[in-house]
Amino acid sequence: MNSSALDFAIKYGFLVLLGGLALFFSLYASGFASPRSAVFVLQSVAITGILALGVTCTLVVGGFDLSIGSVATSALMLSAYTMVILEQSAFVAVALCLLMGALVGLVNGLLIVKMRVPDLLATLGMMFLLIGLQRIPTQGNSIATGMSLEDGSVAEGTFSAAFLWLGRHRFDLFLDRLVPVPVVVFLLIAVLIWLFLGYTRHGRLMYAIGSNERAAELVGTNVHRYKVVAYMISGMLASVGGILLAARLGRGDIASGNNLLLDSVAAALIGFAVLGAARPNAFGTAAGALFVGILLQGLTMMNAPYYMQDFVKGAVLVAALVFTFYLSSRRGGRRTA
């Protein structure tokens, strides 16, 4: 492969694959090429994409957050517990969830920068802690209006209409009730994270920390503070995902967040391959989440067996990593020579 073809493959190969995939499903999956199908794809990846953007922030500083899935599920259960059992308002529930996410991120960050616990181990421990903690108040049961409590009484609280609006309302756009709120939230957060990481001094310093932590420290960057902030952003975005999921479901389903961790990590890692970035970036992460969504939606509409989906996601992830590391190393080798 000559140099120009290799550069094209590295920079645009993933986007060409994404376009080819959309074209293939448009031709062979009936109903795929429609506005509502496109919005359904975006809706299916909105929550995963929000979590993946949080993972991206920790990857930028050279870290990794394995606790995002459990933080999202904890936010889901906390919001349900606050409204159904404590009978508080939607505002209180959202505020508590965001505070919980920030606190979890703060603890993760302090464990990593102060206690010198490796990123994977610190966030893995936090993941197991949260999985256990979120089950204690309800003895492992999901939360819904009218459920029986431990003392024999019945929970009388309900999900407020304002809270359910977050997960179920749809805005009109060419068609009535087309775009769900979670899709709008996902796109807004993606743009904000993209601008923050790519076009602010703080974002560039975070990339510098991820590239060479020691060098960044020698030029006066407060490495510890930026790492803690990255984990707090990750925790808060995971909480936002949990809030939107609870608002969509209208109940505290304790098993609903089981796949969030793997799907969001896959989206963030696939993002490395977009435009040949070979590093974490918000645009790539959003494109990676969209890629997974298109793939799964197309397979579903072609009646592919559900158990094939994880295999296909794994194959896509491996292909993206090949794009990122193998082809980039060949380009680097050519330039060195």
Side-chain angles (χ1 to χ4, degrees):
M1 186 181 293
N2 60 45
S3 178
S4 59
L6 183 62
D7 287 343
F8 182 86
I10 291 173
K11 195 163 187 178
Y12 300 110
F14 183 84
L15 294 180
V16 170
L17 186 61
L18 180 61
L21 200 63
L23 179 63
F24 174 80
F25 286 129
S26 299
L27 294 174
Y28 294 101
S30 177
F32 182 85
S34 68
R36 294 204 180 277
S37 176
V39 170
F40 185 82
V41 170
L42 285 172
Q43 184 181 17
S44 68
V45 302
I47 293 173
T48 300
I50 292 171
L51 268 67
L53 289 166
V55 176
T56 300
C57 290
T58 59
L59 288 170
V60 165
V61 296
F64 199 93
D65 190 354
L66 283 175
S67 66
I68 51 164
S70 56
V71 174
T73 309
S74 297
L76 181 149
M77 295 298 291
L78 178 58
S79 61
Y81 191 87
T82 303
M83 286 183 286
V84 174
I85 296 179
L86 300 181
E87 301 182 27
Q88 297 296 314
S89 66
F91 176 80
V92 174
V94 171
L96 284 177
C97 290
L98 294 177
L99 184 63
M100 183 274 297
L103 181 62
V104 170
L106 176 64
V107 173
N108 277 337
L110 292 177
L111 286 173
I112 291 163
V113 302
K114 296 296 184 185
M115 303 299 175
R116 303 292 182 185
V117 180
D119 305 74
L120 288 177
L121 297 182
T123 55
L124 182 67
M126 181 60 71
M127 180 183 77
F128 283 116
L129 189 152
L130 290 175
I131 288 174
L133 189 60
Q134 68 198 216
R135 297 169 188 266
I136 291 175
T138 60
Q139 293 81 48
N141 297 314
S142 296
I143 300 174
T145 301
M147 67 178 289
S148 299
L149 302 179
E150 190 178 10
D151 60 2
S153 61
V154 175
E156 297 181 352
T158 59
F159 281 83
S160 74
F163 187 84
L164 295 176
W165 183 91
L166 294 172
R168 297 179 177 180
H169 182 74
R170 290 171 176 265
F171 296 105
D172 297 339
L173 183 67
F174 303 115
L175 298 174
D176 292 340
R177 293 179 50 76
L178 181 64
V179 183
V181 173
V183 172
V184 177
V185 174
F186 167 52
L187 295 177
L188 284 176
I189 290 176
V191 171
L192 289 175
I193 296 293
W194 174 64
L195 291 174
F196 173 72
L197 292 177
Y199 295 94
T200 68
R201 174 175 172 272
H202 300 297
R204 288 192 287 272
L205 287 175
M206 289 172 70
Y207 272 115
I209 292 169
S211 298
N212 191 326
E213 183 175 325
R214 180 60 179 159
E217 195 170 23
L218 288 175
V219 297
T221 305
N222 192 329
V223 172
H224 287 182
R225 180 183 299 172
Y226 278 106
K227 280 196 162 188
V228 171
V229 168
Y231 281 95
M232 290 181 70
I233 293 173
S234 179
M236 292 186 71
L237 291 184
S239 288
V240 171
I243 290 168
L244 294 175
L245 186 58
R248 191 171 75 192
L249 296 174
R251 67 193 301 266
D253 188 346
I254 202 163
S256 59
N258 289 343
N259 293 326
L260 289 175
L261 171 62
L262 293 180
D263 288 351
S264 54
V265 168
L269 293 179
I270 290 172
F272 278 52
V274 178
L275 294 178
R279 66 176 187 173
N281 65 96
F283 177 78
T285 298
L290 183 62
F291 188 93
V292 173
I294 289 175
L295 193 64
L296 298 185
Q297 172 73 353
L299 290 173
T300 301
M301 295 182 74
M302 292 184 72
N303 295 321
Y306 72 91
Y307 46 80
M308 287 292 293
Q309 295 187 358
D310 286 339
F311 171 78
V312 173
K313 278 189 289 187
V316 169
L317 179 57
V318 171
L321 294 177
V322 168
F323 261 116
T324 302
F325 295 105
Y326 177 68
L327 294 180
S328 295
S329 66
R330 286 190 60 184
R331 180 171 62 176
R334 284 171 181 265
R335 287 175 177 171
T336 303

